[in-house]
Amino acid sequence: MRMRRIINYTIFLLILIFYSYANAWDCKTHAYIAQKAGIRIPEAACMPDIIRDENYELLAPMHYHNAAPNTVVTPEYIDKYAVKEVTVNIDGRTIKILLPHQAGVLYWKIVNLYEKMKSLDKTKPDNRLSYEYYLVTIAHYIGDLSQPLHNFPYSDSSASDGKIYIDEGAFNKEYHIKFDEAFDSYIGKPQTEEKLNKALKEIKISNTENLKNEISKIANSAIKIANQCYKEKRMPTEEELIEQISWSVSLLKAVIKSTY
């Protein structure tokens, strides 16, 4: 009971901090996905955005992957865009850091967290706390995964193939916040709930390869929508939004079943 109180208190404090830093929709959307998947304190899925700002250059790439427009994501593709250990010398000190691929490592990070969750012995109190942290963190990234523009070239940054896509990147930069806000007006509407519940998938995961296959499906769906919206210079439709959100909810439910 004491450990549960500590977990609840810690998450409560972080939620308060988040609301002082972030826009309501961001937290509302991530919390919606977490709540639909059955997470006990769904607002805690907002925490990775707070942590990101502690070291933006190293942590921001966990939230996206700048896939080239013609990308087809596969398990093998996911393995290519990870973090690598590098040694740097700062003020005479030699330290090792984990450096993410410049195109973003969203897909890899989800796999990384899943493997940590699977490996925990949850009979130990400290590991139960670790599991709670990993759970709300992976909930956030699985939410990011279904946002189309988190899987598309951004601004003048290099895409996954090393090229810079000026027009696609400009579209992403102009529309990114609008996409982030797109689902906000649908949350809480009975007809949206009905449509989303019907769109949920039955996903089963028992190992890392299963997870990579499911990540690939969601990423490819997101890339397809991003390309279509870019070509037509438009926002995603209600149907596209519901499809993407339902993917995240379904995958998060499967991850919980596989790791708890």
mmCIF file of all heavy atoms in Angstrom, residues 67 117 143 147:
data_model
loop_
_atom_site.group_PDB
_atom_site.id
_atom_site.type_symbol
_atom_site.label_atom_id
_atom_site.label_comp_id
_atom_site.label_asym_id
_atom_site.label_seq_id
_atom_site.Cartn_x
_atom_site.Cartn_y
_atom_site.Cartn_z
ATOM 1 N N ALA A 67 10.302 10.139 -41.416
ATOM 2 C CA ALA A 67 10.347 9.187 -42.524
ATOM 3 C C ALA A 67 10.267 9.921 -43.857
ATOM 4 O O ALA A 67 9.473 10.856 -44.015
ATOM 5 C CB ALA A 67 9.190 8.191 -42.404
ATOM 6 N N MET A 117 9.874 -3.370 -19.933
ATOM 7 C CA MET A 117 8.678 -3.774 -19.201
ATOM 8 C C MET A 117 8.577 -5.296 -19.098
ATOM 9 O O MET A 117 8.202 -5.831 -18.052
ATOM 10 C CB MET A 117 7.438 -3.209 -19.895
ATOM 11 C CG MET A 117 7.360 -1.684 -19.855
ATOM 12 S SD MET A 117 6.153 -0.996 -21.018
ATOM 13 C CE MET A 117 4.614 -1.402 -20.189
ATOM 14 N N GLY A 143 1.043 6.988 -28.535
ATOM 15 C CA GLY A 143 0.177 8.057 -29.011
ATOM 16 C C GLY A 143 0.838 8.864 -30.107
ATOM 17 O O GLY A 143 0.231 9.146 -31.141
ATOM 18 N N GLN A 147 0.134 9.872 -34.855
ATOM 19 C CA GLN A 147 -0.005 11.220 -35.420
ATOM 20 C C GLN A 147 0.742 11.263 -36.754
ATOM 21 O O GLN A 147 1.952 11.067 -36.806
ATOM 22 C CB GLN A 147 0.586 12.239 -34.438
ATOM 23 C CG GLN A 147 -0.093 13.599 -34.455
ATOM 24 C CD GLN A 147 0.447 14.537 -35.530
ATOM 25 O OE1 GLN A 147 0.673 14.137 -36.666
ATOM 26 N NE2 GLN A 147 0.646 15.789 -35.175
#
